[in-house]
Amino acid sequence: MDKSEWIWMNGEFVAWDDAKVHVLSHGLHYGSGVFEGIRAYETERGTAIFRHREHLERLAKSAQLYYLDLPYSIEEIRDATHELIRRNGLQSCYIRPLAFRGYGEMGLYAQSAPVEVMVAVWPWGAYLGDEGKRHGVRAKVSSWRRISPNSLIPHAKASGQYLNSILAKTESVRAGYDDAILLDEGGAVSEGSGENIFVVRDGLIATPGHTSSILDGVSRRSVIQIAEDLGYRVSERDIARAELYLAEEVFLCGTAAELVPVREIDDHPLGEPGEVTRVIQARFEDALHGRAQEYLEWLDVVEQPSKVTS
Ligand SMILES: Cc1ncc(COP(=O)(O)O)c(C=O)c1O
């Protein structure tokens, strides 16, 4: 990891190496935390956080779904994040807010253990690599099914739920692929290990809907809007596994990975990124980097007084 200088933790700015927790923190044992992955980009208007409010609203909703009372408002976390980016002197970065049940009580109903909140920011390049963004990645349909809504809450971005994504990602990388595609409990396509998925068939774009155990991705929503603004029709529908192999194009999108074409699935070649993927990817990149006038409202610009060092 590329260290920064400061981390915001429970209302204070602490040095990166001092941002520590007790080993008996509840979240460490049971995964009782919720988090976000957000990115800020260098734009003509300055450092701008992409769809910051939507991410923080999802954080608050994830917390609510797991009965965690956030001790800070969305506005307070937003202000802290702006100040953190300024203090660390970063022009672009990945942003990781996390709220977790801390130290104080063990057991499964540990209501007296406090909810702790932190935000860290650091430079982080494209999650599936620049090469993957240009030429596409190789994916494998995972033997692990995406968490079921009957057992957990796919709509929540909760720490413990990521053991499912870790199993899928690990299996695919160890088998020599770049990423995993997970099916839902009924066998329909759900999403990537940390990205939503889109397929293009007969020129039509489709993506799994909310009943396919997806995370309601901020990038997914942005891509749907961009595609429709470009004149494409996007349907949210069940996608059969075989459609992954029969599709003209498949791509993934998420904050960490951004928009990544898929060039091969289970050893079925899809080839170099197709036209639809290319056009949407270019527009999406424009939106992220503040080059698309109509999407400027998605940017939360960090006002930049000079770097504070203490
Ligand atoms: C499981 C999962 N699905 C989808 C996504 C994409 O969501 P977003 O575009 O909001 O980053 C992510 C990343 O947060 C994820 O972890």
Side-chain angles (χ1 to χ4, degrees):
M1 269 181 95
D2 241 337
K3 276 192 199 179
S4 301
E5 232 176 308
W6 302 102
I7 285 178
W8 182 85
M9 200 173 168
N10 299 322
E12 285 172 25
F13 293 94
V14 299
W16 180 281
D17 289 331
D18 296 333
K20 295 180 178 155
V21 296
H22 198 283
V23 290
L24 291 174
S25 295
H26 196 269
L28 202 53
H29 294 249
Y30 305 113
S32 51
V34 295
F35 68 101
E36 270 305 315
I38 313 172
R39 276 191 190 273
Y41 295 88
E42 193 171 356
T43 74
E44 265 186 7
R45 302 161 87 209
T47 299
I49 306 173
F50 188 69
R51 307 200 76 168
H52 199 191
R53 174 158 295 281
E54 287 85 343
H55 279 286
L56 292 180
E57 281 171 358
R58 188 172 65 189
L59 181 76
K61 285 179 196 153
S62 298
Q64 187 191 0
L65 287 167
Y66 277 101
Y67 307 97
L68 292 171
D69 290 328
L70 283 185
Y72 300 96
S73 66
I74 285 178
E75 220 36 63
E76 285 169 321
I77 298 172
R78 173 181 177 265
D79 290 348
T81 305
H82 280 219
E83 180 57 18
L84 187 65
I85 290 172
R86 280 195 288 270
R87 285 195 183 214
N88 282 306
L90 293 168
Q91 261 71 54
S92 62
C93 57
Y94 183 80
I95 304 167
R96 169 55 55 84
L98 166 73
F100 61 99
R101 210 170 270 292
Y103 166 69
E105 188 184 350
M106 274 295 170
L108 301 182
Y109 189 64
Q111 297 298 294
S112 73
V115 175
E116 304 203 29
V117 184
M118 55 76 52
V119 184
V121 297
W122 69 91
W124 198 9
Y127 177 61
L128 292 171
D130 289 324
E131 185 70 8
K133 280 177 70 176
R134 268 196 300 277
H135 297 292
V137 294
R138 297 177 61 244
K140 177 185 186 309
V141 172
S142 180
S143 70
W144 299 99
R145 295 297 169 97
R146 168 81 174 146
I147 48 167
S148 154
N150 298 313
S151 307
L152 285 164
I153 313 174
H155 273 68
K157 198 166 166 63
S159 306
Q161 300 189 168
Y162 275 79
L163 287 173
N164 174 241
S165 316
I166 288 170
L167 282 173
K169 176 82 180 180
T170 305
E171 175 189 65
S172 64
V173 173
R174 289 172 79 112
Y177 298 83
D178 301 304
D179 209 349
I181 295 170
L182 287 88
L183 307 179
D184 67 16
E185 215 165 53
V189 173
S190 178
E191 58 179 17
S193 65
E195 310 86 17
N196 290 108
I197 191 165
F198 288 76
V199 302
V200 182
R201 285 200 74 201
D202 303 324
L204 295 175
I205 305 173
T207 190
H210 287 252
T211 50
S212 296
S213 294
I214 61 166
L215 180 73
D216 181 8
V218 174
S219 316
R220 175 184 180 275
R221 273 191 257 162
S222 310
V223 164
I224 291 173
Q225 183 165 342
I226 287 171
E228 289 178 344
D229 290 349
L230 286 167
Y232 295 107
R233 261 196 34 225
V234 182
S235 54
E236 296 183 50
R237 64 165 175 85
D238 287 352
I239 294 175
R241 176 174 184 166
E243 291 190 87
L244 296 174
Y245 313 140
L246 296 169
E248 290 114 52
E249 303 177 34
V250 175
F251 62 86
L252 302 167
C253 70
T255 300
E258 298 167 329
L259 195 153
V260 182
V262 181
R263 70 180 152 88
E264 192 183 307
I265 302 174
D266 289 345
D267 306 328
H268 291 288
L270 291 160
E272 280 288 311
E275 158 96 17
V276 178
T277 304
R278 278 281 166 245
V279 169
I280 295 173
Q281 186 187 39
R283 205 68 194 132
F284 183 63
E285 289 280 331
D286 285 345
L288 296 178
H289 293 273
R291 298 188 295 257
Q293 197 64 33
E294 65 268 50
Y295 306 121
L296 287 181
E297 66 188 31
W298 285 347
L299 305 184
D300 179 20
V301 177
V302 179
E303 303 301 331
Q304 277 285 2
S306 57
K307 190 177 170 192
V308 179
T309 51
S310 61

